[in-house]
Every structure is written in structure tokens, then in C-alpha cells.
């Protein structure tokens, strides 16, 4: 698998390197808009690799990481394939010294969770924004130094409420975890969420 992406990073940078994964039907620019909002007004520039979903959505445009409505085994298989390609990329000397932060929305949030679970000592943090979480009932995180940020809107009807509860239950088993629920927000991103992501990152510089 060859991952397609857009990137903006300083090879001599010392800050976090963001590895970003968009939601179903979108593309790599979705996450760039989000991380640019997080850093707006700070005087700092984020370093990132923002990846395009593995599959193009026919007729409708956009991309996705796994087919909508597919089974748990297929979801996990697709995420593992992305993880294999990503770890090969990150083995390059350019990236080995960087703190690596996963950030994903919806499908990309679930993918980020699976990457952190499969590679527990590779990523400094994982920011999971309205992640899909089907099929993870009873899952446990391995021993890991990854910090997790989880967020949902109170009116998110795209992700079943039980899956949202399960996401929190699973991630609470980790070493470091924060959870946010945004009143009145659906399956989306809000200004308060952007501020909370900024605070999460600032607290762990």
C-alpha cells in the first residue's frame, strides 16, 4: 500500500509531528483545516503529514479508509494495512526523532485508535474526534505511553451512543486519557473542541 498525503514539516523541527486521518467522504485537506485552527494565533506552525483515504468514493467524491457498513474484521484488516505502510514511512531517519501525534475524525479517529493500539510505543498521543468504535466492546489497551483525547458532540447521531460509551470505557484503561462532550454539537467540530485540543497539546509540550 502506498499512502497519499499532503505534508508541511521542518526536517529539523523539534515539536510534535501530526499524523492526520480524515473522515468518510472527505480528503486530506479536512484535517489540515482542523490543525491550522488549533494553531491559529499561537505564532507557531504545526508540522504534519495529512493522509488521503485508501479508497476513492465513486460518483460522490472524497475518500474513505474502509467501506461504510463493513464488518469488524474488514475494518480492522484495513486499519492494519494502513499501519504497516505508515510504520514503514516513519522508519525514515527524518521522522525517528520526532514526537508523533495521531489525529483523526470519525473513520480517521477509529483508524488512529487502532494504530495506537497496534503500536503502543510509537505514538506520543492520539486525538480521536467523534470516532467510529463499532466492534471494540470489551477491548483493552496494551501497556503504552500514548495519551488519548476523546471528543463527541452530544447530538452526534452518526456514531451510536453505545459505541461512544464503549470508546470511553476502552480508553479509560490507558495511562493518560481526557474526554470531552460538546452540548448541541452533532457529528462535527466546534470552536470549544479546537480550544480543548490546543490545551491538551500545550499541557504536554
Amino acid at each position: 500500500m502506498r499512502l497519499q498525503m499532503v505534508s508541511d514539516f521542518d526536517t529539523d523541527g523539534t515539536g510534535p509531528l501530526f499524523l492526520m486521518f480524515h473522515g468518510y467522504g472527505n480528503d486530506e485537506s479536512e484535517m489540515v483545516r482542523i490543525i491550522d485552527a488549533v494553531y491559529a494565533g499561537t505564532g507557531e506552525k504545526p508540522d504534519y503529514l495529512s493522509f488521503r483515504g485508501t479508497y476513492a468514493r465513486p460518483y460522490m467524491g472524497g475518500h474513505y479508509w474502509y467501506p461504510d457498513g463493513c464488518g469488524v474484521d474488514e475494518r480492522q484488516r484495513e486499519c492494519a494495512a494502513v499501519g504497516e505502510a505508515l510504520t514503514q514511512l516513519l522508519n525514515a531517519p527524518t521522522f525517528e526523532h520526532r514526537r508523533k501525534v495521531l489525529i483523526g475524525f470519525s473513520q480517521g479517529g477509529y483508524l488512529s485508535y487502532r494504530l495506537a493500539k497496534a503500536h503502543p510505543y510509537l505514538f506520543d498521543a492520539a486525538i480521536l474526534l467523534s470516532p467510529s468504535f463499532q466492534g471494540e466492546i470489551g477491548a483493552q489497551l496494551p501497556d503504552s505511553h500514548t495519551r488519548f483525547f476523546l471528543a463527541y458532540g452530544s447530538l452526534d447521531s452518526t456514531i451510536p451512543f453505545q459505541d461512544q460509551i464503549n470508546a470511553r470505557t476502552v480508553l479509560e484503561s490507558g495511562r493518560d486519557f481526557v474526554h470531552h462532550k460538546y452540548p448541541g454539537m452533532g457529528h462535527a467540530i466546534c470552536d470549544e473542541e479546537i480550544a480543548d485540543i490546543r490545551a491538551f497539546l500545550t499541557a504536554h509540550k
Side-chain angles (χ1 to χ4, degrees):
M1 174 187 293
R2 182 177 180 274
L3 292 173
Q4 296 188 64
M5 64 183 174
V6 294
S7 62
D8 187 0
F9 63 91
D10 182 350
T11 55
D12 296 320
T14 57
L17 175 68
F18 294 96
L19 308 164
M20 309 195 301
F21 304 90
H22 64 78
Y24 180 86
N26 217 301
D27 61 28
E28 62 275 21
S29 64
E30 175 182 67
M31 301 310 299
V32 175
R33 292 191 297 271
I34 291 171
I35 202 64
D36 282 347
V38 170
Y39 275 78
T42 66
E44 301 178 58
K45 183 183 74 67
D47 286 356
Y48 63 78
L49 307 176
S50 188
F51 298 94
R52 179 184 299 177
T54 314
Y55 301 100
R57 192 165 66 144
Y59 310 116
M60 300 295 290
H63 296 77
Y64 57 90
W65 300 101
Y66 48 81
D68 191 29
C70 72
V72 173
D73 288 347
E74 185 174 358
R75 289 160 62 107
Q76 295 184 358
R77 215 168 29 244
E78 294 290 350
C79 291
V82 173
E84 183 176 344
L86 180 64
T87 53
Q88 289 177 5
L89 174 66
L90 295 179
N91 278 335
T94 301
F95 304 121
E96 64 183 0
H97 70 288
R98 302 297 297 269
R99 289 184 294 121
K100 301 168 184 67
V101 177
L102 298 162
I103 177 168
F105 177 76
S106 196
Q107 276 198 355
Y110 177 75
L111 172 58
S112 296
Y113 155 74
R114 292 296 306 181
L115 293 172
K117 184 174 182 178
H119 306 279
Y121 295 102
L122 181 58
F123 305 107
D124 181 69
I127 299 171
L128 314 182
L129 310 177
S130 305
S132 169
F133 229 76
Q134 184 183 2
E136 297 296 323
I137 294 175
Q140 291 286 319
L141 290 174
D143 182 41
S144 168
H145 65 214
T146 304
R147 297 174 292 109
F148 286 93
F149 177 107
L150 175 68
Y152 288 106
S154 66
L155 301 182
D156 189 343
S157 59
T158 300
I159 308 301
F161 184 61
Q162 187 57 51
D163 285 355
Q164 297 180 36
I165 293 174
N166 188 49
R168 182 170 183 173
T169 300
V170 171
L171 296 177
E172 282 176 340
S173 69
R175 182 182 64 88
D176 193 346
F177 166 67
V178 296
H179 172 254
H180 295 275
K181 179 80 81 170
Y182 300 100
M185 188 179 82
H187 195 59
I189 303 290
C190 67
D191 291 341
E192 185 181 355
E193 188 172 11
I194 293 295
D196 286 337
I197 296 169
R198 185 183 300 124
F200 175 77
L201 294 169
T202 301
H204 295 89
K205 279 190 174 180

